[in-house]
Amino acid sequence: MRMTRRELLIGAGAGALGVLLVSCTPEPKPTPTPTRTPSPLPTTNVPAPAASIRSTWSTDPFSRGAVSYTRIGVQSATRETLAEPVEGRLFFAGEATDAENPGTMRGAIHSGESAAVRVRATAGPGERIAVIGAGLAGATVAAKLADADIEVTVFEARDRVGGRVHSQLDDDWPMPIQLGGWLLGDDPKSSRPILDSLETVDLASALWRSPAEEPAQEDDLDPVGNAPLEKALAAAQAFPADVSLSEALTETGADPEEPGLAALLAYLTTTSGADADTVSAWFPPALPNPAKAGIVSDLGAVVQEMLEGAQLTLSSAVTRIAYDDAGVSLRLGTGESTSFDRVVITVPLGVLQREGIEFAPPLPFPYRGAINALGMGHIETVWLRYDEPFWDTEATIWHAVDGDQLIRTWINLLPVTGENVLVGIVGGTAAEKFAELEEDDALVAALTSLDAFLPSGETD
Ligand SMILES: Cc1cc2nc3c(=O)[nH]c(=O)nc-3n(C[C@H](O)[C@H](O)[C@H](O)COP(=O)(O)OP(=O)(O)OC[C@H]3O[C@@H](n4cnc5c(N)ncnc54)[C@H](O)[C@@H]3O)c2cc1C
């Protein structure tokens, strides 16, 4: 199969995203490619990387997915229900409880700030508060309560802090490998000081290209905007019942299979974790708003610093929460039990859905309803480091429009960091499939996905 390449601009007007789009069209086989070093894997001409590492959030018992999303027919106010205290004893926080920026680092931090305000409004002097989970939400609550001289103990199931932000440090890599959240959008209104103070690489110059500033360099550079999505979502607001985003597009005469639109939808899936046929058109995820910056700091160190004023217990999964008028009792995986006045629960929605924690008595119906109504989406990422680049494009985001490759979106860090690092991002059901693969098969899937981006004449 021969790959043809073309570049499109995704996004509207001056906020257009320059992406390398490739589509696969059956053509006669080209002349075989000369062997590369190191040797290619049998199924692809893409050389094996010098190092690779990937995430498996979908199968991780302490996340059970990547980010929450709003399912068809579910109200966005469902998240607010979840954020309400239960009998003044249990407080929920975490990205899934944030109605403004769910599924993001900003949402997680904001939810932690809100929960801290609620706890402070309820707690009396000298009370002991427990926080379950040392991700961004848990660390934020703990920092805010500790600042107010409230005694806080944080229980974290993993042997590290950060949760769904995970910067893996490895001497073989030139920068922290970000296996969870690390990309920031460009909305200054939603910015959080913690995130804005971090060291970032400016992906904007490479990702965002204004057609006016940087005219098409290739004959086949086409603009693709959010217009069809906006039109479909606006029309869906008047539908008698909620439908999926895909259905809203079809109803308004758009073709979700059309390459530019397919690229936008796939990009949306890598940021929302949900396929377009499962997300609500009434309460859709934020429309493609490509990353402007990538965090290159060690996020674990940042979270650790936020937790300085709290007592932190790692490798301590909470398995049961019993609550009544007198207080809250936590049972840990070790069998040990401990009591507090109030508890803030920041575990991911996926953990609550899979009943990773038993509640006694069971949570009131509105909470169980909210937990089961929201969806848990899937995002996985794979980082590949090369000694020499095999690619010949300066484009920073690459996206394959069609074909059956598992990973369609790649970030090329070479232009912005000078390092030969490619980051694959996959969302939705494809991410679940990727997470279930054995290590060797996952690497083959990643490399065959990159086949589409080999310089012309090097595909088979
Ligand atoms: C692959 C991926 C890419 C992402 N990309 C971006 C991005 O580019 N930009 C962005 O803004 N956001 C992104 N996100 C989303 C962002 O990372 C999350 O929204 C955010 O980190 C969630 O923080 P949290 O504190 O709500 O949850 P978490 O970070 O999940 O924290 C919850 C903590 O609870 C712990 N826990 C679970 N069960 C138990 C238990 N039983 N007992 C004790 N502890 C428990 C977990 O181990 C975890 O540490 C991405 C997420 C993923 C997975």
Side-chain angles (χ1 to χ4, degrees):
M1 182 176 286
R2 170 101 168 85
M3 308 293 172
T4 55
R5 285 211 267 191
R6 62 191 187 122
E7 290 203 15
L8 284 90
L9 293 178
I10 293 187
L17 162 66
V19 291
L20 174 64
L21 292 175
V22 299
S23 68
C24 311
T25 34
E27 281 185 19
K29 283 197 162 204
T31 336
T33 317
T35 311
R36 296 186 147 269
T37 310
S39 309
L41 292 173
T43 50
T44 172
N45 283 331
V46 174
S52 69
I53 185 157
R54 65 161 174 156
S55 66
T56 50
W57 301 104
S58 305
T59 51
D60 184 325
F62 303 123
S63 63
R64 298 284 185 194
V67 290
S68 65
Y69 69 92
T70 310
R71 283 197 183 120
I72 305 162
V74 175
Q75 304 288 309
S76 68
T78 304
R79 297 180 191 275
E80 286 155 20
T81 304
L82 203 50
E84 285 299 316
V86 181
E87 296 180 14
R89 295 284 164 197
L90 311 186
F91 298 76
F92 285 92
E95 57 81 14
T97 68
D98 191 71
E100 215 177 308
N101 286 298
T104 65
M105 295 183 285
R106 294 181 198 285
I109 294 168
H110 183 246
S111 76
E113 290 167 345
S114 306
V117 169
R118 289 187 164 109
V119 171
R120 286 184 62 184
T122 319
E127 285 199 357
R128 294 176 68 234
I129 311 293
V131 174
I132 306 179
L136 281 173
T140 304
V141 183
K144 295 273 171 199
L145 294 181
D147 280 352
D149 288 329
I150 295 175
E151 192 184 323
V152 193
T153 306
V154 179
F155 294 95
E156 168 53 54
R158 302 176 198 274
D159 60 3
R160 63 168 180 87
V161 300
R164 281 172 282 167
V165 294
H166 184 196
S167 309
Q168 187 143 325
L169 306 177
D170 189 317
D171 289 345
D172 285 346
W173 288 75
M175 63 187 85
I177 306 150
Q178 309 289 8
L179 292 174
W182 68 296
L183 300 172
L184 300 174
D186 73 336
D187 181 2
K189 279 181 294 188
S190 63
S191 88
R192 300 266 147 214
I194 298 162
L195 297 177
D196 293 342
S197 64
L198 298 175
E199 191 192 344
T200 57
V201 282
D202 183 10
L203 297 175
S205 56
L207 289 186
W208 293 77
R209 297 190 307 175
S210 153
E213 285 163 18
E214 191 174 338
Q217 291 164 345
E218 298 194 1
D219 294 344
D220 50 4
L221 195 67
D222 301 329
V224 180
N226 279 341
L229 295 182
E230 283 160 0
K231 182 178 164 197
L233 294 173
Q237 299 302 305
F239 291 174
D242 194 9
V243 295
S244 72
L245 177 56
S246 302
E247 210 177 325
L249 282 164
T250 313
E251 291 281 319
T252 49
D255 175 8
E257 304 295 319
E258 185 277 318
L261 192 49
L264 271 181
L265 291 177
Y267 194 87
L268 193 62
T269 300
T270 63
T271 53
S272 67
D275 298 302
D277 55 6
T278 58
V279 289
S280 159
W282 277 0
F283 302 104
L287 290 187
N289 174 21
K292 200 170 181 188
I295 298 171
V296 289
S297 308
D298 171 10
L299 283 159
V302 173
V303 175
Q304 189 77 47
E305 203 180 312
M306 291 162 73
L307 287 161
E308 251 165 28
Q311 192 179 326
L312 172 65
T313 316
L314 293 175
S315 306
S316 300
V318 172
T319 55
R320 186 170 190 268
I321 300 176
Y323 60 102
D324 59 23
D325 290 348
V328 185
S329 168
L330 304 183
R331 189 188 296 157
L332 305 182
T334 52
E336 203 184 323
S337 287
T338 173
S339 295
F340 292 87
D341 293 294
R342 297 168 213 282
V343 59
V344 185
I345 301 148
T346 76
V347 304
L349 177 74
V351 172
L352 295 172
Q353 287 178 332
R354 302 285 194 97
E355 297 174 16
I357 296 179
E358 180 195 346
F359 289 89
L363 288 172
F365 284 128
Y367 295 84
R368 278 183 274 162
I371 287 166
N372 290 302
L374 292 168
M376 191 65 181
H378 298 273
I379 308 172
E380 302 296 353
T381 187
V382 56
W383 284 55
L384 307 179
R385 180 177 66 72
Y386 283 89
D387 291 331
E388 295 293 331
F390 65 83
W391 56 99
D392 67 354
T393 173
E394 288 285 301
T396 312
I397 285 198
W398 306 349
H399 189 78
V401 174
D402 52 18
D404 55 6
Q405 57 274 68
L406 210 51
I407 306 174
R408 289 174 166 217
T409 299
W410 291 86
I411 296 181
N412 167 19
L413 287 178
L414 180 56
V416 286
T417 65
E419 303 292 347
N420 303 317
V421 173
L422 297 178
V423 183
I425 311 177
V426 53
T429 43
E432 275 187 278
K433 278 190 202 154
F434 184 65
E436 279 162 14
L437 294 176
E438 298 293 333
E439 285 307 314
D440 288 354
D441 295 338
L443 182 58
V444 170
L447 298 186
T448 49
S449 298
L450 278 168
D451 228 9
F453 303 99
L454 278 170
S456 306
E458 296 193 22
T459 53
D460 56 13

